[in-house]
Amino acid sequence: MKADINDAMCPSRGVLEHVTSRWGVLVLVALRERSYRFSELRRHIGGVSEKMLAQTLQTLERDGFVHRDAKPVIPPRVDYSLTELGEEAAEQVEALGRWTEKRTQTVLANRDRYDEARS
Amino acid sequence: MKADINDAMCPSRGVLEHVTSRWGVLVLVALRERSYRFSELRRHIGGVSEKMLAQTLQTLERDGFVHRDAKPVIPPRVDYSLTELGEEAAEQVEALGRWTEKRTQTVLANRDRYDEARS
């Protein structure tokens, strides 16, 4: 069976939604630098709630993109890092993120032009 | 000002959400092949509603990724194609989409393993 993102029934749709989700993108990009502890990651990614970050990490762990390492220490310490598969996903997603940062000003100017032409 | 996707207030967040939106991704990938008419595009992208496709195309047009060409003919004919900026975005997004298709089976197997370990 060949996966096809244009097929509404294909499970690749769900995978794509995980790697392109608002917080999924930012988690993958962050973990590309290095492993993070939960609280560090939450500080690094502006605006993410504890609940959304936990949910995102669990989804990415279940898909096999993120490795969760719970150290048996007191106080408990949990490190998150990328698996090999996660590294591949993160590479794609980071390229998109960097491109977006580079082109944001252009997009904002395009929006102004669009709105002016219609006002 | 340097855009930063980790900053909750940075407008790059909104741009990223447009290029990674469920239908935004699929529209960009489709238009990378060739220009499409609205109804063709709707058939090509499984599961998209007329309303969501129209909304997605308008968002991408406003951002300057998609060019809308309304031909003055009867019956009316509207073609959608990528701008140069859209071509750049679509290139990134297509790479991610193709990677996802290629890795979907692996992700499904990972999920099974995750669920089994916890059942």
Side-chain angles (χ1 to χ4, degrees), chain B residues 48-77:
Chain B
V48 69
S49 69
E50 203 167 304
K51 190 185 156 190
M52 284 310 301
L53 182 57
Q55 219 169 286
T56 301
L57 283 165
Q58 203 194 350
T59 299
L60 295 176
E61 188 194 354
R62 182 168 178 260
D63 284 351
F65 297 133
V66 163
H67 175 67
R68 181 179 187 277
D69 184 20
K71 299 259 193 305
V73 293
I74 296 170
R77 171 172 177 169

Side-chain angles (χ1 to χ4, degrees), chain B:
Chain B
M1 193 203 71
K2 221 184 149 300
D4 175 6
I5 51 173
N6 284 309
D7 177 351
M9 297 318 236
C10 181
S12 61
R13 280 273 179 98
V15 178
L16 190 59
E17 274 167 37
H18 292 173
V19 295
T20 59
S21 76
R22 178 191 296 211
W23 306 118
V25 167
L26 299 175
V27 166
L28 290 170
V29 172
L31 295 183
R32 226 190 147 207
E33 288 167 49
R34 62 172 177 89
S35 70
Y36 271 84
R37 296 167 69 168
F38 186 88
S39 53
E40 282 181 321
L41 200 50
R42 206 183 148 203
R43 274 193 301 274
H44 184 73
I45 300 174
V48 69
S49 69
E50 203 167 304
K51 190 185 156 190
M52 284 310 301
L53 182 57
Q55 219 169 286
T56 301
L57 283 165
Q58 203 194 350
T59 299
L60 295 176
E61 188 194 354
R62 182 168 178 260
D63 284 351
F65 297 133
V66 163
H67 175 67
R68 181 179 187 277
D69 184 20
K71 299 259 193 305
V73 293
I74 296 170
R77 171 172 177 169
V78 185
D79 285 311
Y80 294 92
S81 56
L82 293 176
T83 62
E84 253 179 71
L85 187 71
E87 187 64 56
E88 282 182 23
E91 196 182 323
Q92 305 285 341
V93 160
E94 182 168 31
L96 183 62
R98 297 302 166 223
W99 178 87
T100 302
E101 289 176 333
K102 213 172 57 185
R103 291 292 183 253
T104 292
Q105 288 301 332
T106 305
V107 171
L108 297 180
N110 289 341
R111 287 182 193 166
D112 283 346
R113 204 173 311 126
Y114 182 94
D115 293 344
E116 265 164 39
R118 278 152 192 81
S119 69

Side-chain angles (χ1 to χ4, degrees), chain A residues 23-36 40-42 44-45 80-82 90 93-94 98, chain B residues 5-6:
Chain A
W23 306 117
V25 167
L26 299 175
V27 166
L28 291 169
V29 172
L31 295 182
R32 228 192 144 204
E33 288 167 50
R34 63 172 176 89
S35 70
Y36 272 83
E40 282 181 319
L41 201 49
R42 205 183 148 203
H44 183 73
I45 300 175
Y80 294 91
S81 56
L82 292 177
V93 161
E94 181 169 30
R98 297 303 165 221
Chain B
I5 51 173
N6 284 309

